[in-house]
Amino acid sequence: MKNIIHSRLPVLMVTISTALLFSACQPTNENTNVAEKEAVASDQNMVADIPSMDAHAGHDMSDDTMTDMHQAYNESMTHMHDEMMAGMKYNDPDAAFAQGMLGHHIGAVDMAEIQLKYGADEEMLQLAQNVIDTQKVEIEQMQSWLASNPDATEPMTDTKAVQKAYADGMDAMHSEMMAAIADTNPDRAFARGMLSHHVGAVNMATVELKYGKNEELRKLAQAIIDAQQPEIEQMQDWLAKNKE
């Protein structure tokens, strides 16, 4: 019974984190709160009822280490979500892209650092280091741009369309990433999570190319697509060769 409780803990953490994460984006009401509490209670009952089994068979990491890894991912996701939500409220499409992608990049660096701490696969460790090296430079570029280009004080022609595009993309990305980081294999958790993360970045860059006007940010958006599309294919290939 001890093993199944430990093995279900990361999933339960993800369930709770997901409910908390998306509550910031949606109106709160009593029915929603009751449903969330019932869902958590249901998961707790399921943990108590399922026969004992070792979900970590074949992995060298301890249950405590796995829990620490998933907690680190959850904290990274929450921080990234908050930063991206701030960008989604911007009026100027260029400023919205810079602020949103800034938070997105910080999240990618956090995830890559988690992989360097807990991962073991050489290819995924190298990819994590590449992500850090590339995106830290772009983080500094966006911070510098935002310092010199404050947001517009009033909504612009494309403000609503941009906000909706980013909101839809973020909902899809977070949903996929929360499922991915629950994987009990650290390398697979990173590959699956970063795959969804990269797809989200490409989608955001595409929105900037459609609505953005600033030449520097449009070039950055294209550079993000050019750099991350090959990494998307790399992770897809790696995951196909490293199935559960």
Side-chain angles (χ1 to χ4, degrees):
M1 180 65 70
K2 179 180 179 181
N3 288 334
I4 186 59
I5 293 174
H6 282 169
S7 67
R8 286 299 300 263
L9 182 55
V11 178
L12 181 56
M13 288 172 60
V14 169
T15 301
I16 297 172
S17 296
T18 303
L20 293 174
L21 190 64
F22 287 104
S23 66
C25 304
Q26 300 175 1
T28 302
N29 57 62
E30 294 182 359
N31 290 337
T32 300
N33 291 335
V34 171
E36 289 173 355
K37 291 178 181 178
E38 290 177 349
V40 171
S42 176
D43 269 351
Q44 291 173 332
N45 291 334
M46 288 174 64
V47 170
D49 293 341
I50 298 174
S52 178
M53 60 182 290
D54 187 1
H56 296 297
H59 301 301
D60 294 330
M61 302 182 72
S62 69
D63 289 339
D64 289 341
T65 302
M66 293 302 299
T67 300
D68 290 343
M69 182 191 75
H70 288 105
Q71 180 63 32
Y73 274 129
N74 283 332
E75 291 174 356
S76 171
M77 288 277 290
T78 300
H79 182 231
M80 180 178 68
H81 172 269
D82 291 344
E83 293 293 328
M84 291 179 67
M85 282 295 295
M88 283 172 50
K89 297 176 182 177
Y90 278 33
N91 293 314
D92 178 18
D94 289 308
F97 169 73
Q99 183 63 48
M101 189 62 79
L102 174 60
H104 195 268
H105 270 33
I106 291 173
V109 170
D110 288 344
M111 292 175 65
E113 289 176 343
I114 293 169
Q115 168 63 8
L116 293 181
K117 182 175 181 179
Y118 296 104
D121 181 84
E122 287 299 326
E123 182 178 356
M124 289 300 101
L125 289 171
Q126 184 59 58
L127 176 60
Q129 189 60 57
N130 292 345
V131 167
I132 292 171
D133 294 342
T134 300
Q135 299 201 23
K136 276 191 171 181
V137 174
E138 294 174 342
I139 284 171
E140 293 178 0
Q141 178 184 357
M142 287 183 282
Q143 287 173 330
S144 176
W145 189 92
L146 285 165
S148 303
N149 295 272
D151 186 29
T153 57
E154 299 292 336
M156 301 172 68
T157 303
D158 295 322
T159 295
K160 287 187 178 180
V162 171
Q163 290 177 344
K164 183 179 187 307
Y166 284 146
D168 291 345
M170 190 166 72
D171 284 349
M173 180 189 70
H174 275 276
S175 201
E176 292 171 1
M177 285 182 67
M178 292 305 292
I181 64 175
D183 198 306
T184 55
N185 180 298
D187 296 305
R188 281 185 55 82
F190 170 73
R192 292 176 61 194
M194 190 59 78
L195 174 59
S196 298
H197 193 274
H198 271 31
V199 170
V202 169
N203 289 340
M204 290 177 67
T206 302
V207 173
E208 169 63 11
L209 292 178
K210 181 176 181 179
Y211 296 105
K213 301 290 191 298
N214 182 270
E215 193 59 31
E216 180 183 353
L217 293 187
R218 287 177 58 82
K219 287 181 179 179
L220 175 60
Q222 188 59 58
I224 288 170
I225 294 172
D226 294 343
Q228 297 197 24
Q229 191 60 50
E231 292 178 341
I232 287 173
E233 295 171 4
Q234 178 186 358
M235 287 181 281
Q236 288 172 331
D237 290 343
W238 187 90
L239 285 166
K241 296 173 185 176
N242 294 272
K243 298 179 179 179
E244 293 182 72

